[in-house]
Amino acid sequence: MRPHFLFLSFAMLATPVSAQQSMPMEHAGHGEHMMHGQHQAEAPMGRVFEHEHNGHMMGQVDGSGPREPGQSAFAAIQEIVNLLMADPDTDWDQVNIDALRGHLVDMDNVTLHADVKAEAIEGGARFTVTSPNPSVAGSITRMISAHAGTMDGVTGWRMTAIPLDTGTEMEFTGDAGDKAKIRALGFFGVMSFGMHHQGHHLALATGHNPHRH
């Protein structure tokens, strides 16, 4: 055996097996990466962008791409836009995405920025919901009056809304057996009750006002 072959054999024996196995793969990957970079450099920019864009769209179609839209209000708008785009009967002259966005702002204001004081009353609870911020106070009034108008009487629960200068007072009552449930839900649980919100989003986006009574 020639001396340089002996040296190569001893070098391979001294190298861990895992490293020996990874060496060709790393080398191949490096070469492939270089070739990919070379092809990208040689290809017209439009073709590179088209390739990446088509790959991105394919990921959306087969479910392998990202799914999170990044923000809940944006996700709600995206959901409605997808429904409108898929419906051949959509009246685009009536579509009003800004109205939906305004409603989502109200939801955000009430959920994250309202001050809530709960008080036990016969059959349920009274919630005094206020804010020193006029913008948030307006959101409180719109959200509570709309919710009370929609859900009053559903499952036998009664809701009344009394506007205040800085918000709204809402009484939520039911049968004798419901008071513990109402008090446990609290204001935000009561506000989330019912699946009408999703229907309201679509109505608002299509030029209707489901909150007008």
Side-chain angles (χ1 to χ4, degrees):
M1 185 176 292
R2 295 180 180 180
H4 63 277
F5 284 139
L6 282 171
F7 176 78
L8 178 62
S9 299
F10 281 119
M12 291 295 289
L13 286 172
T15 304
V17 175
S18 60
Q20 293 177 29
Q21 291 175 342
S22 65
M23 285 170 64
M25 294 177 64
E26 291 174 357
H27 179 71
H30 179 65
E32 187 176 346
H33 175 70
M34 291 182 66
M35 290 296 292
H36 177 68
Q38 181 180 359
H39 288 320
Q40 274 200 328
E42 293 174 354
M45 183 59 67
R47 290 181 58 191
V48 173
F49 176 79
E50 181 181 0
H51 174 73
E52 293 179 352
H53 177 71
N54 289 341
H56 171 65
M57 292 303 293
M58 182 59 69
Q60 290 181 334
V61 172
D62 64 16
S64 63
R67 297 187 180 184
E68 289 296 329
Q71 199 261 1
S72 59
F74 188 88
I77 293 173
Q78 183 183 67
E79 177 184 47
I80 296 303
V81 167
N82 287 340
L83 290 173
L84 296 175
M85 294 289 288
D87 185 357
D89 295 326
T90 294
D91 183 353
W92 292 103
D93 289 330
Q94 298 298 317
V95 168
N96 189 347
I97 300 301
D98 285 343
L100 171 58
R101 189 254 184 186
H103 174 65
L104 295 171
V105 169
D106 282 346
M107 295 184 75
D108 188 79
N109 279 341
V110 173
T111 304
L112 301 179
H113 305 296
D115 299 320
V116 181
K117 178 182 177 182
E119 177 185 357
I121 61 173
E122 184 66 27
R126 177 185 295 115
F127 304 107
T128 303
V129 189
T130 60
S131 172
N133 184 326
S135 178
V136 176
S139 295
I140 292 168
T141 298
R142 287 188 291 272
M143 285 292 296
I144 294 180
S145 62
H147 190 70
T150 301
M151 299 303 294
D152 183 35
V154 175
T155 69
W157 288 359
R158 295 172 293 279
M159 304 182 198
T160 59
I162 304 172
L164 306 172
D165 290 339
T166 57
T168 297
E169 180 181 276
M170 181 174 75
E171 290 189 358
F172 196 113
T173 59
D175 296 332
D178 293 329
K179 64 181 180 181
K181 184 185 298 184
I182 293 170
R183 293 169 186 174
L185 285 171
F187 171 71
F188 295 105
V190 165
M191 287 296 291
S192 70
F193 174 69
M195 293 296 290
H196 63 283
H197 296 283
Q198 292 83 343
H200 283 189
H201 294 172
L202 184 58
L204 285 164
T206 52
H208 301 88
N209 187 355
H211 300 152
R212 182 181 293 121
H213 300 284

